Amino acid sequence: MTPTIRAASLADLDRLVEIEERSFSGDKLSKRSLKHLITKGHAIILVIMKDRQVAGDIVVLLHRNTSLPRIYSLAIDPSFRRQGLANKLIAEAEKTAAESGSFFMRLEVRMDNNSAITLYR
C-alpha cells in the first residue's frame, strides 16, 4: 500500500507519543507539547500513513516574524524505517512550508546522530 501524508489531528496524539517513545532515548516531545502544537502551535505537523496506521511524523515550527521554518522533530516508528518514509515527510513539509511563503528551512541535529545527518544531506 502506498504511503499517504496528511495533517496530524488530536486523534493521532497517543500514536505520536508512542512513536516518540520508540524513536528517541531523550529529547522527546511530551503528550502535552504535541497536543499544544496540534491545536494552538504555530506549526506544520504531518503524519505519514502506512498499512493503515501512523508510521511517523514531522513537526515544523513556523515563526511569526520570519519566513524561516525549522524542522523541530522527525520520527519514524522503528518498524517502518528504511522505507523512504522520512524523505517523503521532509519533501511534503518543504512543499507545505513553500506554499505558506517560505523558501528555506533550517534544522538542528546532534553531531553524534549520524543517521539523521545522512538523511538530511
Side-chain angles (χ1 to χ4, degrees):
M1 180 179 284
T2 303
T4 58
I5 298 175
R6 63 170 172 77
S9 72
L10 286 178
D12 301 316
L13 192 55
D14 288 337
R15 178 66 177 141
L16 295 178
V17 171
E18 180 183 349
I19 291 170
E20 286 285 316
E21 290 293 323
R22 290 177 49 98
S23 297
F24 305 114
S25 59
D27 296 328
K28 299 174 214 171
L29 287 169
S30 68
K31 186 173 187 174
R32 180 179 178 200
S33 293
L34 284 163
K35 182 178 180 181
H36 174 78
L37 287 167
I38 291 169
T39 58
K40 298 177 184 147
H42 198 59
I44 297 166
I45 306 172
L46 302 174
V47 297
I48 190 159
M49 304 292 295
K50 180 83 189 272
D51 300 334
R52 298 184 186 169
Q53 63 180 311
V54 174
D57 66 275
I58 189 166
V59 177
V60 178
L61 299 181
L62 305 171
H63 300 283
R64 296 185 197 282
N65 298 326
T66 180
S67 62
L68 185 62
R70 181 178 102 166
I71 296 176
Y72 187 65
S73 179
L74 173 63
I76 303 295
D77 186 287
S79 62
F80 288 96
R81 291 186 184 157
R82 304 261 182 234
Q83 299 179 39
L85 302 180
N87 284 326
K88 290 180 187 332
L89 275 173
I90 292 169
E92 188 65 23
E94 288 175 334
K95 179 182 165 196
T96 303
E99 289 169 354
S100 67
S102 299
F103 296 102
F104 301 97
M105 291 179 74
R106 69 182 178 105
L107 62 92
E108 296 173 11
V109 62
R110 281 191 340 258
M111 291 182 67
D112 64 345
N113 191 342
N114 293 323
S115 61
I117 292 168
T118 299
L119 171 69
Y120 295 135
R121 282 191 176 147

